[in-house]
Amino acid sequence: MFYLTTAIDYTNGAPHIGHAYEKVLADVIIRYRRLRGEEAYFLTGVDQHGQKVQQTADKEGVHPATFVKRTTKQFLNLWEKLGVHYDGWAETTDARHKACVQAILSELQQRGQLYKKAHSGYYSVRQEQFLQERDRDEHGNFGPQWGEVTMIEEENWYFRLSEHTAWLKSVIEHNPELITPAFRRAELLNALDRSAGTDLCISRPKERLRWGIELPFDANFVTYVWFDALINYISFAGYHAAADAGLPDFARLWNVGGSRCTHLIGKDILVPAHGIYWLCMLHAMGFTEAQLPRLLVHGFWNSKGGDKLSKSTGNIVDPNELADKFGVDAVRYYLVRDIVTGKDSDFDLERLIMLFNTELANELGNLCNRALNMSQRFTAGILRHGAPLTPDEQALQASLADSSAAYQAAMDECDIARGLEAISRHVVYCNGYAERMKPWELNKDPVNQDRLASVLYHLAESVAHAAVLLSPVLPDAAAKLAAQLNLPDLTTLKLADLHWGLLPDGHLIGKPKPVFPRIVLEEPAAS
Ligand code: MSP
């Protein structure tokens, strides 16, 4: 079983393009795995507790529960709009999740992994954490990233993180596949060295934070939001759940006789949350080295010029607006086409339009139009394998084989941009082939009937393969193409079925309808 999770999104505000990217990327990866014939499960959701939610709700004068219900709906609506199809939905206010977090806390407490102590120090409200001396900048100040910083003294509960970091370091050194891309592994190993000897504060006193999961053994405290949120990956996978809880079978989902669970996360939450806290928490719960998840770390979409996309700078990109204006296909395509998984990219509306218009509307649209339209006009929609192959057809088939192999190699590594480039290469090749073969000329003389059939067949068969390969990224568009070609339901087709001859001799295709209308802007794109 391929079990994929994403980060669960904070619900103290509306979803932005970074959230959309991660969920679309996860959706593409899951659909691709299914296309490969694997059984796959996708969990995503929302992070509903914590100080930021409490503060925002207080400011609006509503109860945090009412507030998160509203913001959660925005995420649910967006995933529906963008065609992000998940199998499990994680909300941290869910009673089943709370019960799991509390059971884990009790177990850790009984095993002596938790202790209570008084601590005084500087606390960042924005980051919801105590600060260390090393968090000061070169002028000795706590920088703006920490927001308001206040000195507080309080008792809290701590997790003996320091007992696990040496083990974790050696595990990460010996299992390079645990962290992708590789350069993030080096970053994590450095961070592990720096954090050695420090334990993790896992509680917040109720007088400071009410909105959280109460500690089962000390009612004066709620659980630190990260400790709570990270557990979603197992609580919603059925860990410690009753058989009738409506959750999956944990043993089946979590790394039993199969691949490790994959957590897809952004680069900002590798260190310390996932790379250190979470892996050490799992170890303390009794998970072995072989049962650790794999962390797939993606980069950030920034605003043009490399600035962070943030509400405070007013350059936030609203994925809802984009989808309304340019269509879901254009947004999904751009989000995975113009960024290399693991690296950052600048969000650029002009490139969104250019990539859609060039690669989809012009190249693929043109190929579909030629293949389907000319087959309808010249051969009554019936495809014939036609004349014996000439070197031109052999070369076209070789181009498809090369592109398909490159696609699969890239997609296996979650490099969607390279996978899409591979499809585009073959599409461009086919348009060149059509221009050289000139089926519209061949049609003028009945003597060329067999040649004409062969050329049209090669174009239509290429469209069929392109539709299947594109389906993880553009499921709706691919389904429309498949319907026009009279292909079977795309969800039943697997990569292994993609041999030459998908469309049988004598196959009847349907009526062509444009699937990728060009984006035409009334006013110049402002980005
Ligand atoms: N709630 C925590 C995660 C808890 S996981 C147990 C959180 N939420 S978040 O809403 O701030 O971020 C959710 C995901 O979106 C993270 O993986 C984060 O890296 C990602 N992104 C946030 N901004 C982004 C971009 N500008 N670009 C790409 N991804 C970005 O962190």
Side-chain angles (χ1 to χ4, degrees):
M1 172 76 85
F2 180 76
Y3 174 35
L4 179 74
T5 71
T6 68
I8 50 173
D9 298 315
Y10 283 133
T11 43
N12 60 323
H16 56 66
I17 202 72
H19 297 135
Y21 165 56
E22 184 177 279
K23 276 55 185 180
V24 168
L25 175 59
D27 183 70
V28 170
I29 294 172
I30 275 287
R31 288 177 192 265
Y32 172 71
R33 290 292 175 147
R34 294 198 174 116
L35 186 61
R36 272 180 46 140
E38 274 175 79
E39 208 186 345
Y41 190 94
F42 171 19
L43 175 74
T44 189
V46 281
D47 190 351
Q48 298 171 312
H49 288 130
Q51 199 141 0
K52 280 180 242 176
V53 167
Q54 181 175 301
Q55 280 174 342
T56 326
D58 285 353
K59 249 188 243 156
E60 292 196 12
V62 291
H63 191 277
T66 316
F67 176 77
V68 293
K69 220 178 195 157
R70 174 162 30 97
T71 46
T72 295
K73 194 85 189 94
Q74 294 182 290
F75 285 90
L76 285 163
N77 290 345
L78 181 63
W79 304 150
E80 168 143 26
K81 185 179 220 167
L82 294 181
V84 171
H85 287 185
Y86 40 82
D87 304 289
W89 178 249
E91 292 186 4
T92 51
T93 53
D94 187 312
R96 297 167 303 179
H97 171 73
K98 283 192 193 173
C100 182
V101 170
Q102 290 184 326
I104 289 169
L105 283 164
S106 296
E107 274 173 15
L108 293 179
Q109 147 85 338
Q110 277 152 24
R111 286 194 205 160
Q113 285 290 314
L114 308 180
Y115 63 92
K116 198 175 184 180
K117 76 162 190 191
H119 175 77
S120 71
Y122 288 102
Y123 187 81
S124 155
V125 177
R126 180 194 278 179
Q127 301 298 339
E128 301 185 38
Q129 69 183 73
F130 277 102
L131 301 179
Q132 316 278 338
E133 281 310 304
R134 62 165 187 261
D135 297 320
R136 292 182 189 274
D137 62 19
E138 68 273 25
H139 310 295
N141 302 321
F142 294 116
Q145 72 274 28
W146 302 111
E148 182 196 344
V149 174
T150 47
M151 178 70 153
I152 44 181
E153 151 129 33
E154 65 187 26
E155 273 204 306
N156 263 310
W157 284 87
Y158 287 79
F159 162 51
R160 294 190 194 281
L161 184 75
S162 56
E163 286 186 0
H164 304 276
T165 45
W167 167 84
L168 180 59
K169 186 164 182 240
S170 123
V171 167
I172 290 176
E173 277 165 351
H174 292 105
N175 296 273
E177 81 285 2
L178 277 180
I179 320 286
T180 313
F183 70 91
R184 295 279 173 213
R185 183 167 156 257
E187 185 184 316
L188 175 56
L189 285 169
N190 283 336
L192 268 167
D193 284 338
R194 286 199 310 274
S195 76
T198 329
D199 284 339
L200 174 66
C201 178
I202 56 132
S203 69
R204 296 292 180 266
K206 276 204 186 146
E207 60 269 17
R208 191 144 67 74
L209 179 67
R210 307 175 312 278
W211 186 236
I213 300 178
E214 189 177 288
L215 296 190
F217 42 80
D218 194 338
N220 294 322
F221 295 90
V222 296
T223 312
Y224 171 44
V225 67
W226 271 105
F227 195 91
D228 156 2
L230 288 161
I231 289 175
N232 92 88
Y233 301 134
I234 56 176
S235 64
F236 288 96
Y239 185 71
H240 280 357
D244 61 355
L247 292 168
D249 172 7
F250 186 69
R252 236 172 78 69
L253 221 56
W254 194 272
N255 185 30
V256 175
S259 51
R260 293 178 189 274
C261 163
T262 301
H263 296 323
L264 177 66
I265 55 168
K267 62 176 185 177
D268 57 327
I269 55 174
L270 170 66
V271 173
H274 285 80
I276 302 182
Y277 301 165
W278 178 229
L279 300 184
C280 290
M281 283 164 67
L282 286 168
H283 187 232
M285 286 177 224
F287 284 64
T288 63
E289 179 171 330
Q291 291 168 330
L292 288 188
R294 172 179 166 236
L295 304 177
L296 174 58
V297 186
H298 65 75
F300 262 45
W301 278 103
N302 298 318
S303 77
K304 231 164 142 181
D307 294 338
K308 218 178 145 183
L309 288 166
S310 84
K311 243 189 197 160
S312 50
T313 48
N315 58 6
I316 203 92
V317 179
D318 179 354
N320 259 303
E321 264 176 40
L322 280 183
D324 289 342
K325 194 158 178 193
F326 303 108
V328 170
D329 284 346
V331 175
R332 283 181 66 105
Y333 193 77
Y334 180 68
L335 283 181
V336 290
R337 172 68 184 87
D338 212 22
I339 190 167
V340 174
T341 310
K343 304 248 175 76
D344 290 357
S345 186
D346 288 350
F347 190 90
D348 184 340
L349 220 42
E350 279 164 15
R351 282 189 61 77
L352 179 150
I353 297 167
M354 182 279 284
L355 284 165
F356 182 89
N357 281 347
T358 315
E359 295 182 356
L360 296 177
N362 289 2
E363 290 291 351
L364 183 57
N366 209 357
L367 174 61
C368 297
N369 186 41
R370 282 170 161 164
L372 289 146
N373 233 333
M374 286 194 282
S375 298
Q376 283 297 347
R377 279 171 39 219
F378 303 159
T379 61
I382 298 169
L383 297 174
R384 293 259 171 236
H385 286 186
L389 298 186
T390 71
D392 284 308
E393 281 75 52
Q394 281 164 347
L396 183 143
Q397 291 188 22
S399 156
L400 178 62
D402 284 353
S403 288
S404 302
Y407 166 88
Q408 186 166 343
M411 297 295 281
D412 282 351
E413 289 180 10
C414 302
D415 189 345
I416 319 299
R418 223 161 25 97
L420 291 173
E421 266 168 30
I423 303 177
S424 259
R425 264 202 305 282
H426 182 63
V427 169
V428 169
Y429 187 94
C430 287
N431 280 323
Y433 166 85
E435 270 142 40
R436 279 184 285 117
M437 298 305 121
K438 300 190 180 19
W440 50 90
E441 297 288 333
L442 292 174
N443 185 51
K444 289 181 182 160
D445 188 342
V447 144
N448 300 322
Q449 207 180 353
D450 269 4
R451 268 305 293 136
L452 172 65
S454 182
V455 170
L456 294 179
Y457 180 77
H458 276 76
L459 298 179
E461 175 81 0
S462 291
V463 174
H465 285 243
V468 177
L469 299 179
L470 262 182
S471 63
V473 177
L474 303 176
D476 291 346
K480 282 184 201 153
L481 289 178
Q484 294 178 26
L485 284 166
N486 264 337
L487 269 178
D489 175 3
L490 276 192
T491 54
T492 64
L493 271 177
K494 302 289 166 225
L495 269 193
D497 302 320
L498 284 190
H499 47 81
W500 188 262
L502 198 58
L503 303 174
D505 194 22
H507 183 78
L508 179 71
I509 55 163
K511 295 261 172 298
K513 252 185 254 123
V515 173
F516 303 108
R518 248 185 106 73
I519 299 174
V520 186
L521 275 193
E522 280 125 43
E523 70 246 70
S527 45

